[in-house]
Amino acid sequence: AAATAGIPPDTFVERELVHYPTFDARDVPAFLSVPETEPPEGGYPVVVDIHGGPESQRRPSFSSVTQYLLNSGYAVFEPNVRGSSGYGKAYAALDDVEKRMDSVKDVRAGVEWLHDHPEIDPDRVVAMGGSYGGFMVLASLTEYPDLWAAGVDVVGIANFVTFLENTGDWRRSLREAEYGSLETDREFLESISPINNVDRIASPLCVLHGANDPRVPVDEAEQIVEEARERGVPVRKLIFDDEGHGFSKLENRIEAYRAIVEFLDEHV
């Protein structure tokens, strides 16, 4: 049962594939999972889990994080916002460079869809994501602060300028094609960097990172934690000294998920 992290498969919750309309009349595909328990009176709290990439795709495969959240009483909503792969080249390119924030609008549209869902508590919606998904979390908190009860940023990008300056040389040209270049798009990159809009964050924030991350340097976490704390945002920070981009060691993963759920239980 290594593939399922030792959790018995018959306890798994089936993801439901849904589609919701977004601002430009496109339909965004997403997966919704709800706990097996009866919903609380106001509905389940929900974690909007935004994938990284940006050009990856959330698929209905087993996820220990998702099952852990469900077992802890949280519904999980996984949107494949524009920029995701698996839906054709045009869809994957819809978030390139100057269209970056359109993908964040897709997240907002997903939350609005959740607001109409009878089993979901509209006042307890959490943004969570890793890597580029961490940027999406921070951008969602700064662009639409009133939607969120909390945010969880895992190895995320807070500042596109420092990220591009500090990421591995071999990755920079690849990333600049997606995000914009330091040479020609610096002003735009600064305008969409959550670090420059951090005074708009209105909900508690949990930030997790690996100290040896070669892709998204740990300084991205330190920057956002420091700036958010200075503005009175409740922040929980967890830096793993023996991890890189993501958490590869099982005991660290367990500690990370546990910390996330403890943080959510406290604030959500």
Side-chain angles (χ1 to χ4, degrees):
T4 58
I7 303 170
D10 55 8
T11 64
F12 294 167
V13 174
E14 284 294 306
R15 285 181 173 85
E16 179 194 359
L17 175 63
V18 301
H19 293 82
Y20 64 85
T22 187
F23 67 96
D24 58 359
R26 282 186 172 82
D27 270 350
V28 177
F31 292 101
L32 178 64
S33 316
V34 297
E36 301 276 72
T37 51
E38 278 298 299
E41 203 170 309
Y44 299 109
V46 61
V47 174
V48 178
D49 185 2
I50 308 158
H51 69 66
E55 290 175 342
S56 61
Q57 177 191 14
R58 198 48 67 87
R59 301 180 62 87
S61 50
F62 171 77
S63 157
S64 51
V65 191
T66 302
Q67 294 301 329
Y68 187 67
L69 288 166
L70 289 163
N71 292 349
S72 305
Y74 294 85
V76 180
F77 185 70
E78 302 164 279
N80 278 315
V81 296
R82 69 192 58 215
S84 303
S85 60
Y87 306 99
K89 268 206 168 114
Y91 193 78
L94 281 175
D95 69 338
D96 287 357
V97 192
E98 73 283 353
K99 302 192 282 280
R100 175 74 38 223
M101 302 313 273
D102 285 353
S103 57
V104 186
K105 288 182 188 164
D106 285 350
V107 174
R108 177 186 64 181
V111 175
E112 286 166 357
W113 183 87
L114 287 168
H115 283 179
D116 295 333
H117 197 288
E119 290 190 308
I120 300 298
D121 183 345
D123 295 326
R124 294 194 293 162
V125 184
V126 176
M128 181 172 104
S131 192
Y132 172 78
F135 156 73
M136 290 290 285
V137 167
L138 296 173
S140 296
L141 296 181
T142 56
E143 291 293 304
Y144 308 110
D146 48 346
L147 292 182
W148 307 104
V152 180
D153 160 29
V154 184
V155 301
I157 301 165
N159 181 336
F160 275 112
V161 174
T162 52
F163 161 69
L164 288 169
E165 284 172 345
N166 298 326
T167 193
D169 289 343
W170 54 280
R171 291 187 84 238
R172 188 171 304 112
S173 58
L174 286 172
R175 298 293 85 189
E176 287 191 332
E178 170 82 38
Y179 299 135
S181 89
L182 288 168
E183 211 165 291
T184 56
D185 304 300
R186 181 180 284 256
E187 205 170 303
F188 171 71
L189 290 167
E190 284 175 355
S191 76
I192 64 165
S193 291
I195 195 77
N196 297 322
N197 304 304
V198 77
D199 48 348
R200 301 191 56 190
I201 295 178
S203 51
L205 181 61
C206 184
V207 178
L208 302 92
H209 217 103
N212 312 312
D213 191 335
R215 295 183 170 214
V216 179
V218 68
D219 178 55
E220 296 293 310
E222 303 290 3
Q223 283 184 66
I224 200 77
V225 167
E226 188 181 340
E227 295 281 334
R229 277 186 179 153
E230 267 178 27
R231 287 163 177 79
V233 174
V235 181
R236 174 159 189 179
K237 177 176 83 164
L238 191 55
I239 308 286
F240 291 95
D241 290 336
D242 55 348
E243 290 287 4
H245 192 61
F247 311 125
S248 59
K249 300 189 170 77
L250 180 62
E251 64 270 25
N252 289 343
R253 281 211 296 273
I254 292 169
E255 186 184 343
Y257 302 159
R258 211 170 266 160
I260 289 167
V261 168
E262 271 171 22
F263 165 82
L264 295 180
D265 287 348
E266 180 183 344
H267 294 288
V268 182

